[in-house]
């Protein structure tokens, strides 16, 4: 009797764990991350990165850190363009 209860308890705990993992995997936002470099591969700190949602017209921005890394989180699913500008460099848009 104790073995049956123990098995049921383990199965229940496993089911709760799986449901929790699946529940956290569902999201309606995304994140854009990257590293801004020049043509030689050197990182560009302080570059301005702007992502523009083509469906809503909303823009979000971030600056690169000392390693040239940027991250823009909680973006609604949609079509985006990305524009990068930095002092001493031209402007680059993706897609062009």
């Amino acid at each position: 009797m104790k073995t049956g209860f123990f098995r049921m308890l383990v199965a229940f705990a496993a089911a709760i764990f799986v449901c929790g993992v699946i529940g956290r995997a569902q999201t309606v936002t995304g994140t854009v991350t990257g590293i801004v470099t020049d043509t030689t591969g050197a990182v560009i700190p302080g570059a301005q990165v702007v992502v523009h949602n083509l469906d809503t017209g909303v823009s979000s921005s971030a600056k690169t850190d000392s390693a040239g890394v940027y991250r823009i989180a909680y973006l609604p699913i949609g079509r985006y363009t990305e524009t990068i500008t930095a002092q001493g460099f031209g402007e680059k848009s993706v897609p062009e």
Side-chain angles (χ1 to χ4, degrees):
M1 190 72 161
K2 289 183 181 181
T3 304
F5 178 74
F6 181 71
R7 285 183 183 165
M8 187 173 64
L9 185 62
V10 169
F12 180 72
I16 294 295
F17 175 75
V18 169
C19 289
V21 170
I22 291 171
R24 282 186 272 154
Q26 305 302 317
T27 182
V28 294
T29 62
T31 301
V32 175
T33 60
I35 301 174
V36 178
T37 60
D38 65 14
T39 56
T40 67
V43 298
I44 303 176
Q48 181 73 28
V49 181
V50 177
V51 292
H52 179 76
N53 187 315
L54 298 173
D55 300 319
T56 65
V58 175
S59 294
S60 300
S61 64
K63 284 198 175 213
T64 58
D65 63 14
S66 60
V69 176
Y70 66 92
R71 181 177 191 267
I72 304 172
Y74 306 111
L75 297 170
I77 296 169
R79 300 175 305 128
Y80 286 86
T81 59
E82 183 175 39
T83 304
I84 303 165
T85 55
Q87 187 175 7
F89 294 89
E91 182 177 285
K92 176 72 174 174
S93 292
V94 181
E96 290 185 289

